[in-house]
Amino acid sequence: METIKFERSIAVKKDVDVFVAGGGPAGVAAAVTAARLGARVFLTERGQCFGGAAALTLVPAFMRFSDGENFVSGGIGREIFDALYGKDTPYTEKEYSIDIEALKRIYDNMMEESGAGFLFSSEVIGIECGADGAIEYAVVKGKESLYAVRAKVFIDTTGDGTLAVWNGAPYEKGDGDGAMMPGTLCTIWNNIDWSRAVVELGRDPDNRCLPQAFADGVFTVKDPGLPGMWRFRDDLGGGNIGHVFGVDGTDEESLTKGVIDARRRMPEYEYYYRHYLEGYENARIVVSGSELGIRESRRILGERVLSVESYFSHEVFDDEIGRYCYPIDLHASAIGKKEKLDGIYEQDYEKGQSYGIPYGCLLPKNTKNLLVAGRTISTDREMMGSVRVMPCCYITGMAAGAAAAQATAQGCSVRGVDVKQLQKTLKSLGAFLPNCE
């Protein structure tokens, strides 16, 4: 492949304590937390709204905020829950449909009120490191400009671990063969008769008529997995519908092929819902996400790797920064393929059970002043199937923001953070840390 040399002198637009790359749930939680704790914060988001998967890919529902008894996504997660659903709303349900526009405004308000600086239409395209390997600058592409941000601590909430990889952190991707969970192009539908639609038949009730539809030749891809439709207000629904296999969320060619394939197949699902499922006879797709929803890409390897054994043992860690409880949720990477823990999702936890998330999972190996938060924290593949959902991203994002603020305030490295003090701070912010004094 031919190469060229590309050089520019660019302005250092911001000089801050904490830089956050990405404005999804983990990024917002990190930036708001660090700013509230007194750090000078700057966040860049390549889109024009906060919210990540919920806002840009139209993921229709939050998974659980609670272990059935305790609000485990405390602090930032609780603020967002209360703002969306009301302080008196029971929080022990397993799923909550999302008012996407309301969520965008909530994020806007939280960021502005926190004092954190931010810019949309700005994507990190590189980093510059010092002689010791610590990141000194993030290089950012704005709408029509290139600029740099100097910071003391960097937080990677890109969803792909991009900064961490550029900084030399090791990572894993997919299963042992590199295969990853499929993506989904989420959609919003109207004209649904919810009084007749079946929503309580069990997990994935919308797939109950797929065998007949396959026999009738409705689908070009005979995918038996169909998470289905979440009820919005009035006649609206949010569709987590249709898998796109073989997509690599870190590769633009793969993403381009995948999203075109997904849009091409959406009319097949519209036909299926209208002709095979009651309550959807007049339903139509109103809009699809502007981006393909990606469930899995890299897992950055950190000082600690959260393993599936911790899920089964409900493990407690000495450096715990939160606890979570979502089941191991791995979508098969290919039709007919069996995952290592098939069936574990349905087993679930008993009420009140959870597992700990150690601070070491936020510390990428081979780096100096970098933290990761969100779905790319250091886990094995099975545990990634649990930590990847939005309420857990609030947990790890808040912890990363608090750790970054503590490190910059005390002039220490992110590895030199006093974890006991960090835990005390997180508890004061509402984190669920029942095992920490």
Side-chain angles (χ1 to χ4, degrees), residues 26 29-30 33-34 74-77 373 393-403 426 429-432:
T33 300
I76 296 292
C393 290
Y394 295 138
I395 296 171
T396 58
M398 189 170 80
L426 289 171
L429 298 174
F432 179 63

Side-chain angles (χ1 to χ4, degrees), residues 214 218-224 243 245 261 265 268-269 335:
F214 292 159
V218 172
F219 292 100
T220 54
V221 177
K222 295 180 179 180
D223 174 16
H243 288 124
F245 297 96
D261 177 48
R265 290 166 48 208
E268 298 175 358
Y269 283 97
I335 294 174

Side-chain angles (χ1 to χ4, degrees), residues 245-319:
F245 297 96
V247 175
D248 183 344
T250 67
D251 180 83
E252 62 274 11
E253 292 186 7
S254 180
L255 286 167
T256 301
K257 181 178 180 296
V259 75
I260 288 176
D261 177 48
R263 279 198 287 265
R264 184 182 293 121
R265 290 166 48 208
M266 272 301 115
E268 298 175 358
Y269 283 97
E270 189 175 73
Y271 183 92
Y272 170 72
Y273 270 81
R274 286 169 60 86
H275 291 85
Y276 288 81
L277 300 179
E278 58 270 24
Y280 296 95
E281 294 85 354
N282 299 309
R284 293 288 189 187
I285 296 174
V286 178
V287 66
S288 62
S290 58
E291 297 182 6
L292 192 64
I294 299 298
R295 293 182 172 89
E296 176 181 16
S297 62
R298 301 185 185 101
R299 304 186 308 279
I300 302 302
L301 297 180
E303 298 301 330
R304 289 186 114 155
V305 179
L306 186 63
S307 71
V308 73
E309 286 75 20
S310 296
Y311 178 87
F312 292 122
S313 65
H314 317 131
E315 190 160 1
V316 175
F317 297 93
D318 56 358
D319 63 339

